[in-house]
Amino acid sequence: MIPPHVSARQHLLTLSAAALLLGVPIVVGIGYLVGGAIGVSGDADGVSLGRVLRDGAVWRSALLSLWIAGAGTSLALTGALSIALLLGGASKIERFARTVVALPLPVPNVAAAVAVLLLLSQSGWLSRVAAQLHLIATPGEFPALVLDPWAIGVIATVVWKELPFLALVAVSLQSLRGRALTDAARTLGASPSQALRTITLPLLLRGMAPSVIAVFVFVLGSLELPLVLAPSSPLALPLLIQERRQSLDATSHGEAYLIALLATGLAVFAALVHEALRRDEA
Amino acid sequence: MTPRLSMRALSVVALTLFASAPLAMLVVTSIARGWFYPSVVPSSVDGGAWAELFRDASHRTALLNSVVLAVSTALVGTALALPLGRAAALSTRGVRRSVALLAFTAVALPPVALGAGLQLSVLTLGLGGTVVGVFLAHLVPALGYLTLVFLGVFTRWDLRLEEAAATLGAGGLERWRHLMLPLLRRPITEALALGFLVSWAQVALTLLVGGGAVRTLPLDVLAMLQAGQDQRAAAGALALAIPALFVLGVSRVAAGNTPAVVA
Amino acid sequence: MSAALRVQDLDVLFGNDERPSHREMKALILPRTFDEPRGYRVGLADVTFSVNGGDCLAVLGASGDGKSSLLRTLAGLQVLRRGQVVVNGRDVTALPPEKRGVVYLHQEPVLFPHLAVHENVAFPLTLRGVPKRDAVRRGLEWLERLQVSDVSGNMPDALSGGQRHRVALARALCAEPAVLLLDEPLASLDPAVRRDVRAALLEARAASGAAMVLVTHDLDDALAVATHMSLIDWMTLTTPREPAALIQAPPSLEAARLVGIFSEITGEVVQENGGRCFHWIGGTLPAGELDAGPAVACVRSHEVTVERSEEIHPSTLLITDRRDAAHDVVLTLCDTAGGTVTVSTSGNTRLGVGDGVVVAIAHARVFADRGRPRV
């Protein structure tokens, strides 16, 4: 509803400006990707979808990226739910815990990746502690936690960075809902654990679904985390796109644009799901 | 002390360690001297890595670029997103949803993919490899985030406040000055911080659209890391983390004592 | 016959609105008595009453008197300081909410937003391990009884206000409670929905056999459903009585004010030869055993007769204002010394501003004016 004191013309003008500012870069960006993939823009040769889909390296990269995003997001979600349920109260120690856990929230990915590298690498701090405890004799005996096939270092960074965000969402959802729903469940005969299982958790998960999708997509698209911490074979999807773009071969450029287009399709799909879930919640 | 309570105390300690250990690691590494394996603590400390970070002209340029980009992204992004979010929130449901979808897409697109597309368009505009081009690229995800923020704010906005002000004789400008801006202080400071952080942490868009010609602090840190300069990378990472923490902290404090009418 | 709900010497604490601390949560999971719980203060003291199955006790109190706190304490949702709650002969004071056989209905119906209406209603039964099918079937019976079975497949957010109330009530009854606690169930409803929900409450009372306790600030709501009534008066509950009796003879000025159907005439009780009298600007009334001092006479409009007076004598008053209400006339009167009084009367309505009148009062309840209770 347009407020009566705002003219309809002014309102329409602002709205069209919105559409332009947000829409044009996206549409133009995607347009150039399409152009690159079919070989009409940039220094790329057109490639067929079949060629990219038959490329085993693309699938391995996609799987690695999905693994990182899936495992990282699930672990962060589990931690966030535990914090909301165990430390969601108003006491001093709980508020302190929530403030401390929010520390990583604004830290840029690059800084986080450097810190995790220094902690987890084979010559990192944990390895030093293990050596001091005579658990290992040389750095090489320390398990590979970064640049490792399971991408443990990347996943650890994702958890460190995204747990605070999800915890923030979970705690605010909990306090917004208040006690009425669990009180109602209790007085209808639910034990604390039944109330948790049937009311609190399902509602929390439902409310957090959009944020969880957002985190998943951010991690999937992140370039810098796998650049610092993930193995070089297979490459994470954003790195694969980068690599093919920087190759000297025009066909590789076309492939890079097509893979980027596929990743974009995935992101748009995620955005659609995100909006559908948010609508559901409202 | 009951077992449940001590478990909570334990989990608070664990969380504190979890959240602060990586930052502590950066601090110690950035000032360590002669820290050889397998020592757990450095034998002595010096500020060499830090001094170098600020003495080196190319680092100083990178730092300046980062600050200029982040501040302008925050300011322009907030100035644009506020009216956009408001117009969309006050519009029909369909418009509101489309704008939300568009905004989230801007945020969700993999920066590599968005950057690849934007690079070509920025080149066409003759802005490839310039700070302005990179700024325009940073603005895309920032505008997405901030539009979502203000869309949320104005969806819960009580229009009756504006109506009351209008019937009390406040014109458009006066309503903004005396009603909207004071009420919106909290979301505006949060939006400024968010806009700053989106640009401050950005790697892929800077790399692709800047084409290597526009250096920023995150790119420098990556370069140090690839050159095996762990100590300098740690100092650089802290130089990234500290302003980010500071900006968020300041926005919290600035917004802290305003009424949460809309948040 | 033993009462379904018996409450003995209960001290109700006023909760803080913030989320309770961990310590308080633990106390809620297993309510204990507390001497000095932080953030709480005593709101009602020495609450004692009992309610039989099938009866409904209405507790009438002003806003902020601790009505919700009383019900939440009975339901085990809030810590208490002292006292005993007995349901069907079983002391439930220290039991968690789910083990009490007591269902508390929030003022705004609280439906689980992720469950369809029929799942909401079946919720208490599925908790007890009743197979989903049977639970839903029994839930549907309650929905039919309360005439909302047509929305059983809907999600809660698609319901109207009246439907939400009926569904919440059906869900509560599905739990087969020994005691049903209703927190202002009719407040904030428009008249049509109000009638609708009142009918549902009567149906519920008749069908369930539960002892009901209803708190409200509205006399009409209380009268519509209650078999007994009690008032919150000076931080405690008055002994439950038949509603009609309570209205005829409220036990105190505060109680009379809560009932809300009286005109108040201020004056003074004076010790005179042979007894005590209540003097006001328009005359004198018997004051029973009241101590001398400021007092208030409560009168209903049909007990007041106002007659035109041609000659002037000490108790003649002058009409300075007249307003017409639906059933009576509200007159502001003053005497020669400037004292004023406002009374409602259902009698002579042909009087107007400037007329000299005498006021006859057939019956009045005179109370000492103790000022406002400090809460």
Side-chain angles (χ1 to χ4, degrees):
Chain A
M1 177 195 46
I2 310 171
H5 52 268
V6 173
S7 80
R9 204 169 123 255
Q10 194 186 342
H11 182 73
L12 268 181
L13 216 69
T14 327
L15 267 184
S16 347
L20 275 175
L21 279 164
L22 277 170
V24 165
I26 294 174
V27 171
V28 169
I30 293 176
Y32 272 105
L33 287 182
V34 173
I38 59 173
V40 299
S41 67
D43 49 356
D45 280 355
V47 286
S48 73
L49 187 62
R51 182 191 161 98
V52 166
L53 291 183
R54 274 194 305 275
D55 188 344
V58 173
W59 285 105
R60 281 192 295 279
S61 292
L63 273 180
L64 176 71
S65 283
L66 286 172
W67 158 249
I68 291 172
T73 311
S74 324
L75 286 173
L77 175 65
T78 312
L81 289 175
S82 315
I83 287 173
L85 295 174
L86 293 175
L87 303 168
S91 75
K92 262 191 193 130
I93 188 167
E94 285 165 305
R95 275 196 297 230
F96 166 79
R98 293 206 298 270
T99 311
V100 165
V101 105
L103 266 183
L105 193 66
V107 174
N109 268 343
V110 171
V114 173
V116 170
L117 187 72
L118 293 172
L119 270 176
L120 298 189
S121 77
Q122 286 185 313
S123 57
W125 194 74
L126 282 189
S127 165
R128 289 162 187 257
V129 172
Q132 290 289 340
L133 297 173
H134 302 293
L135 296 173
I136 57 170
T138 63
E141 286 175 35
F142 192 73
L145 297 179
V146 299
L147 311 176
D148 58 311
W150 289 102
I152 292 172
V154 191
I155 293 169
T157 320
V158 168
V159 173
W160 189 72
K161 271 281 298 162
E162 303 299 343
L163 189 149
F165 169 64
L166 291 179
L168 203 71
V169 176
V171 168
S172 68
L173 270 177
Q174 276 284 81
S175 60
L176 266 182
R177 286 222 203 283
R179 289 180 49 196
L181 284 166
T182 37
D183 278 357
R186 292 294 300 282
T187 151
L188 289 167
S191 68
S193 68
Q194 279 176 319
L196 178 73
R197 220 173 45 243
T198 57
I199 307 297
T200 312
L201 268 185
L203 283 175
L204 255 182
L205 282 175
R206 207 172 75 140
M208 292 185 71
S211 310
V212 168
I213 287 180
V215 166
F216 183 85
V217 178
F218 300 156
V219 176
L220 204 61
S222 158
L223 174 83
E224 54 272 30
L225 291 185
L227 182 65
V228 177
L229 297 164
S232 52
S233 172
L235 282 170
L237 208 53
L239 288 174
L240 183 76
I241 296 173
Q242 242 333 55
E243 188 205 48
R244 300 237 163 146
R245 269 189 72 256
Q246 282 165 347
S247 134
L248 295 174
D249 168 18
T251 317
S252 288
H253 293 180
E255 283 170 5
Y257 289 122
L258 191 56
I259 301 168
L261 205 55
L262 291 176
T264 301
L266 198 65
V268 172
F269 173 71
L272 283 168
V273 176
H274 178 268
E275 283 314 303
L277 287 171
R278 240 166 43 107
R279 200 172 310 170
D280 216 41
E281 185 61 7
Chain B
M1 195 182 261
T2 65
R4 174 100 189 272
L5 204 65
S6 62
M7 213 189 84
R8 280 158 49 84
L10 212 68
S11 63
V12 171
V13 171
L15 273 178
T16 310
L17 274 179
F18 164 79
S20 56
L23 293 172
M25 192 66 211
L26 289 179
V27 173
V28 176
T29 309
S30 75
I31 54 171
R33 191 163 72 179
W35 192 11
F36 298 110
Y37 195 89
S39 321
V40 175
V41 285
S43 49
S44 65
V45 295
D46 74 5
W50 282 98
E52 212 161 341
L53 194 65
F54 290 105
R55 209 168 35 224
D56 188 308
S58 82
H59 287 331
R60 278 217 304 267
T61 315
L63 193 62
L64 187 69
N65 278 343
S66 273
V67 171
V68 167
L69 282 168
V71 170
S72 40
T73 305
L75 290 174
V76 176
T78 305
L80 292 175
L82 198 157
L84 300 196
R86 178 177 154 83
L90 299 179
S91 198
T92 61
R93 215 145 61 132
V95 170
R96 200 160 61 230
R97 286 174 181 176
S98 318
V99 171
L101 181 66
L102 215 54
F104 188 76
T105 306
V107 171
L109 281 182
V112 178
L114 180 66
L118 284 182
Q119 183 191 27
L120 296 174
S121 36
V122 167
L123 280 175
T124 319
L125 290 175
L127 293 171
T130 65
V131 177
V132 176
V134 174
F135 160 72
L136 289 177
H138 284 195
L139 202 52
V140 176
L143 204 54
Y145 273 111
L146 302 190
T147 303
L148 287 176
V149 167
F150 286 109
L151 193 62
V153 167
F154 284 109
T155 306
R156 295 185 299 264
W157 183 254
D158 190 351
L159 268 181
R160 291 174 305 176
L161 289 171
E162 283 178 59
E163 289 169 358
T167 59
L168 290 171
L173 270 181
E174 286 157 324
R175 281 202 300 278
W176 274 99
R177 235 187 81 206
H178 298 296
L179 179 77
M180 313 279 284
L181 288 180
L183 280 178
L184 289 170
R185 205 174 112 190
R186 181 194 286 256
I188 286 175
T189 43
E190 280 170 3
L192 285 172
L194 189 57
F196 182 95
L197 292 176
V198 168
S199 163
W200 185 248
Q202 196 52 248
V203 170
L205 288 178
T206 318
L207 201 63
L208 272 70
V209 177
V214 179
R215 305 292 308 176
T216 58
L217 191 53
L219 295 189
D220 270 14
V221 172
L222 283 176
M224 294 172 200
L225 210 57
Q226 272 157 354
Q229 301 164 322
D230 283 3
Q231 199 187 1
R232 289 172 63 188
L238 270 182
L240 271 175
I242 290 169
L245 285 163
F246 181 74
V247 162
L248 192 72
V250 165
S251 83
R252 286 279 156 83
V253 172
N257 41 19
T258 54
V261 177
V262 286
Chain C
M1 188 177 117
S2 81
L5 171 68
R6 198 160 55 76
V7 178
Q8 193 75 43
D9 299 327
L10 192 73
D11 280 5
V12 175
L13 300 169
F14 276 4
N16 46 5
D17 282 341
E18 280 181 46
R19 302 190 60 195
S21 73
H22 177 63
R23 182 157 154 267
E24 287 153 8
M25 283 304 282
K26 268 172 59 189
L28 289 175
I29 290 165
L30 193 69
R32 297 177 301 172
T33 51
F34 257 102
D35 288 335
E36 289 284 321
R38 224 168 6 142
Y40 288 85
R41 62 199 162 82
V42 177
L44 296 170
D46 300 319
V47 174
T48 301
F49 65 85
S50 59
V51 187
N52 291 330
D55 281 358
C56 174
L57 171 69
V59 176
L60 201 62
S63 315
D65 267 357
K67 301 191 294 291
S68 293
S69 299
L70 169 66
L71 294 194
R72 294 179 65 83
T73 306
L74 296 181
L77 295 169
Q78 189 174 304
V79 290
L80 66 152
R81 195 179 68 157
R82 178 178 86 85
Q84 200 185 27
V85 181
V86 179
V87 174
N88 279 341
R90 193 167 60 113
D91 182 351
V92 300
T93 318
L95 291 182
E98 68 271 19
K99 301 222 168 93
R100 295 184 164 222
V102 173
V103 172
Y104 170 70
L105 274 168
H106 291 79
Q107 176 173 355
E108 296 294 327
V110 174
L111 300 180
F112 304 127
H114 60 310
L115 302 179
V117 165
H118 66 271
E119 291 167 321
N120 256 290
V121 177
F123 179 81
L125 295 175
T126 47
L127 286 177
R128 296 176 201 166
V130 175
K132 175 127 194 215
R133 228 168 132 173
D134 295 351
V136 168
R137 188 177 46 73
R138 275 158 69 185
L140 276 177
E141 286 169 17
W142 279 113
L143 287 172
E144 260 161 41
R145 229 176 190 145
L146 295 177
Q147 291 150 33
V148 269
S149 53
D150 50 326
V151 295
S152 68
N154 292 10
M155 292 309 278
D157 55 10
L159 303 185
S160 72
Q163 286 170 333
R164 295 177 66 84
H165 276 272
R166 282 171 178 267
V167 171
L169 200 55
R171 187 180 62 181
L173 295 173
C174 214
E176 290 157 0
V179 176
L180 192 57
L181 306 173
L182 302 157
D183 194 346
E184 303 248 16
L186 301 164
S188 76
L189 295 178
D190 60 64
V193 184
R194 211 179 174 100
R195 268 198 300 280
D196 182 56
V197 177
R198 263 186 201 171
L201 286 175
L202 284 172
E203 169 70 29
R205 202 187 85 200
S208 78
M212 287 170 47
V213 180
L214 174 150
V215 299
T216 178
H217 64 262
D218 187 296
L219 179 66
D220 287 344
D221 289 349
L223 290 175
V225 196
T227 55
H228 297 77
M229 201 156 88
S230 175
L231 306 164
I232 294 181
D233 184 14
W234 285 80
M235 293 173 66
T236 190
L237 254 64
T238 63
T239 312
R241 290 160 67 188
E242 303 260 310
L246 198 62
I247 291 168
Q248 247 336 287
S252 71
L253 177 57
E254 290 70 29
R257 282 178 176 154
L258 265 177
V259 170
I261 52 174
F262 300 102
S263 304
E264 289 183 21
I265 297 172
T266 50
E268 197 165 7
V269 173
V270 183
Q271 176 82 44
E272 281 175 0
N273 47 343
R276 298 182 174 114
C277 284
F278 172 77
H279 286 279
W280 66 290
I281 58 172
T284 309
L285 293 164
E289 296 301 307
L290 277 184
D291 290 336
V296 176
C298 293
V299 293
R300 296 180 67 173
S301 50
H302 66 81
E303 296 161 344
V304 178
T305 321
V306 182
E307 301 261 313
R308 193 188 300 276
S309 158
E310 300 304 342
E311 63 221 73
I312 305 293
H313 51 80
S315 58
T316 303
L317 302 173
L318 195 69
I319 298 179
T320 57
D321 185 41
R322 174 195 161 127
R323 278 174 296 131
D324 289 18
H327 302 294
D328 41 25
V329 177
V330 183
L331 299 175
T332 305
L333 310 167
C334 82
D335 68 355
T336 47
T340 66
V341 68
T342 302
V343 291
S344 298
T345 173
S346 49
N348 194 338
T349 56
R350 275 185 291 176
L351 301 165
V353 173
D355 287 343
V357 292
V358 285
V359 178
I361 293 171
H363 177 66
R365 301 137 201 90
V366 183
F367 301 105
D369 189 351
R370 293 178 286 180
R372 289 250 146 225
R374 276 188 306 127
V375 176

